[in-house]
Amino acid sequence: MGNLVVVGLMSVLVLYARRTLGLEGPGFAALMVAYAVGGIAGVPLAPLLEARIGARRVLRIGMPATALLCAGIGSARSGWRRC
């Protein structure tokens, strides 16, 4: 189920970035690089969290945290546009 949500998010992210945030090609590329860097940075943390608090608890915390972060992205206004 988590992958379905991520794929859904990524499929509309390009529209959101273009229409709401006003990002062109380079801005969207920077957004994708930041997304990838965050994912890569999380890779070494996952086993540490699992060892410390357990896989079930990591998932129970991670899923709602992801939902909150997605809601935060959805409520963001453009910082790129000038008034």
Side-chain angles (χ1 to χ4, degrees):
M1 185 63 148
N3 284 337
L4 179 64
V5 172
V6 171
V7 169
L9 172 66
M10 295 305 291
S11 67
V12 297
L13 185 60
V14 67
L15 298 173
Y16 178 77
R18 176 74 177 114
R19 292 180 183 170
T20 304
L21 299 179
L23 297 179
E24 299 288 332
F28 186 71
L31 180 64
M32 290 294 95
V33 167
Y35 186 82
V37 167
I40 292 169
V43 168
L45 295 176
L48 297 174
L49 281 172
E50 182 183 354
R52 185 173 178 122
I53 65 174
R56 182 174 285 190
R57 190 171 287 164
V58 169
L59 289 173
R60 284 186 177 169
I61 294 170
M63 296 289 271
T66 301
L68 289 173
L69 291 171
C70 289
I73 291 170
S75 65
R77 298 185 187 263
S78 175
W80 297 93
R81 293 184 186 175
R82 295 184 180 161
C83 296

